[in-house]
Amino acid sequence: MAISISIWSFAYALGSIPFGVLLARTQNIDLHEHGSKNIGATNATRILGKKAGALTLLGDTLKGLLGVAMASWVSDDPFTIAGAGIMVFLGHLFSIFLNFKGGRGVATGLGVHLYIMPTQTLGAVAVFFFTLLFSKYISLSSIIASIALPIFGIFFDTPIFYKYMSLVIAILVVSKHYENICRIATGTEPHFLKK
């Protein structure tokens, strides 16, 4: 159990690294004061440009992937690895470096799932782009894709703890998008790349 706690602690610290915030600081910009005030790739793209947005997406995705990859290198226990996935995700949502505030976790959750549930993740990515094509909403596409992941997990040979992890992450992603859901309902949610 001590090993699992050490792995989870490291995963949380890794997930806490706010790549969008760090990139914004190189331009003397505080992402919390601009656009949607979110630290993720979508707001970074709108405020800092496509290059910074892509780097934010890459950084947030890689920390999710590395969090579970490193756990799997140390332990082959699905419970420990799934726990690392949740902890690296929570690190992004409640960063120790941002007074326990953070982003919505979509890219970090993507990285987590890419490593331990690759086939299911590809299906969810397809759902994301299909939804984006018709809705033009990044937020709605993220919500539906996150919900699709645990559903895909049911239909594939997925360890039970990974299914639970995927469900927990989906619930948190949806809850973090509450304001976006309200704006979509009222027609005030901006479409992708529109200020």
Side-chain angles (χ1 to χ4, degrees):
M1 191 63 184
I3 293 176
S4 295
I5 292 173
S6 298
I7 291 170
W8 297 341
S9 298
F10 177 81
Y12 173 78
L14 179 63
S16 290
I17 300 172
F19 286 100
V21 172
L22 295 175
L23 285 167
R25 285 179 182 171
T26 66
Q27 299 184 32
N28 295 316
I29 293 173
D30 184 351
L31 278 184
H32 292 110
E33 297 179 356
H34 299 274
S36 67
K37 300 179 173 58
N38 187 45
I39 66 170
T42 302
N43 198 41
T45 301
R46 291 191 178 116
I47 304 305
L48 307 174
K50 293 181 180 180
K51 182 179 179 180
L55 288 173
T56 300
L57 176 64
L58 179 63
D60 287 345
T61 301
L62 283 177
K63 71 185 182 184
L65 190 149
L66 284 174
V68 289
M70 291 180 179
S72 72
W73 299 339
V74 176
S75 172
D76 59 0
D77 176 26
F79 176 74
T80 298
I81 297 169
I86 290 175
M87 291 306 293
V88 72
F89 181 80
L90 289 176
H92 182 81
L93 267 59
F94 308 104
S95 172
I96 195 172
F97 304 118
L98 300 174
N99 296 317
F100 299 101
K101 297 179 181 179
R104 297 186 177 95
V106 176
T108 303
L110 171 65
V112 168
H113 286 90
L114 270 174
Y115 188 82
I116 60 177
M117 296 169 56
T119 303
Q120 297 89 323
T121 303
L122 290 176
V125 168
V127 169
F128 174 89
F129 283 110
F130 182 81
T131 306
L132 182 62
L133 178 66
F134 287 96
S135 73
K136 305 295 190 271
Y137 290 124
I138 287 284
S139 55
L140 180 62
S141 304
S142 300
I143 291 167
I144 293 178
S146 68
I147 293 171
L149 258 170
I151 294 174
F152 283 134
I154 294 171
F155 294 102
F156 288 87
D157 185 19
T158 308
I160 188 68
F161 289 117
Y162 295 173
K163 293 178 182 179
Y164 288 145
M165 179 207 72
S166 188
L167 180 60
V168 168
I169 289 176
I171 291 170
L172 289 169
V173 167
V174 173
S175 67
K176 292 291 285 186
H177 281 83
Y178 173 77
E179 293 181 358
N180 302 85
I181 294 170
C182 292
R183 288 194 294 266
I184 290 170
T186 58
T188 56
E189 175 79 349
H191 288 95
F192 184 50
L193 291 182
K194 288 190 177 181
K195 302 257 184 169

